[in-house]
Amino acid sequence: LELKSERFDTLMIGVVKEGKLSLRGHVRGKRTRSSFAYRPGAMLGSMISPLAPLRDFDDKLVGRSWQVEMINPLTGEPEQVTVKARSSCAVQLDSGPATCFNLFFTNGDLQWSSWVTADGQLVMQGTPFGIALRRRGLPQQTLEKLSQLESDSKTKQNQTSD
C-alpha cells in the first residue's frame, strides 16, 4: 500500500506481513511508524481502497448505520468511523445499469460520503480532506445525477441539524 500527497507533505507505505499491517513514512514532514494486527475483511478499508471488503448491498441497508475501523492516512492509525447508508438510486455506468448506494461517513467532526454499487464497486469516493475521487469512465449524466443527489443530501442534513 502507498499513499503519497505532495499537498499534505505525506508519504505512507504499508506492508502486510505475518498478520500485521506495518505503516511507515512521514506526515507533514514528521516521521511516523505504526503496526497493528491485520485481519483481511475485518477492517473497512485501507488508504488505497477503503470500501474493498463491502459486498452485497440491497435496499434493506438504506437508513442503517454501523461502526467500522478505517486507517487515518495522516496518522497511520486505525480509527472508529460511523457509516450510514443514506440512499440508493439507479444509474448508468460504463459497464451498464447499476444501483448505487450513498454511504455517509463520520469520525468526530469529519464527514464525507461515497457512492458504491450493489456489488461493492466504488463509483465516487469522498474524503475528510474535501477531495473526491471518481471512477474513470463515469458517464457525464451519472456524475451530474450523483453530484445533485449528494448536494440534496447535504442540504437536507443541514436543515435537520438546524
Side-chain angles (χ1 to χ4, degrees):
L1 307 171
E2 182 176 316
L3 173 70
K4 183 177 182 178
S5 171
E6 291 178 17
R7 180 178 180 194
F8 294 106
D9 187 21
T10 298
L11 173 64
M12 295 295 293
I13 298 171
V15 177
V16 177
K17 187 175 180 182
E18 298 174 3
K20 289 193 173 205
L21 176 59
S22 297
L23 298 168
R24 64 180 170 79
H26 66 271
V27 176
R28 297 192 174 155
K30 182 180 174 189
R31 290 194 177 276
T32 183
R33 276 187 182 266
S34 181
S35 181
F36 52 91
Y38 176 79
R39 296 180 321 265
M43 294 182 118
L44 176 66
S46 69
M47 293 177 238
I48 305 302
S49 55
L51 298 172
L54 294 176
R55 296 288 182 267
D56 301 324
F57 287 101
D58 63 30
D59 284 325
K60 291 181 233 164
L61 187 68
V62 174
R64 293 189 179 186
S65 297
W66 63 96
Q67 296 279 318
V68 296
E69 274 192 330
M70 292 182 78
I71 298 170
N72 180 328
L74 296 180
T75 65
E77 297 294 324
E79 295 181 1
Q80 285 292 316
V81 175
T82 300
V83 183
K84 181 175 184 176
R86 287 199 291 200
S87 62
S88 66
C89 68
V91 297
Q92 183 67 34
L93 300 178
D94 53 335
S95 58
T99 300
C100 283
F101 293 84
N102 181 229
L103 303 181
F104 185 68
F105 298 80
T106 56
N107 178 1
D109 292 337
L110 300 175
Q111 300 178 340
W112 67 100
S113 68
S114 295
W115 289 90
V116 64
T117 63
D119 62 355
Q121 295 179 47
L122 191 60
V123 177
M124 292 175 63
Q125 178 180 336
T127 68
F129 317 114
I131 300 167
L133 308 171
R134 68 177 188 225
R135 180 176 171 162
R136 193 178 303 207
L138 196 59
Q140 185 64 32
Q141 73 268 19
T142 298
L143 177 59
E144 290 170 3
K145 181 176 185 175
L146 295 179
S147 296
Q148 183 61 50
L149 290 169
E150 180 72 24
S151 177
D152 293 348
S153 290
K154 286 179 183 176
T155 301
K156 187 176 181 180
Q157 181 177 340
N158 289 338
Q159 290 171 346
T160 59
S161 63
D162 290 342

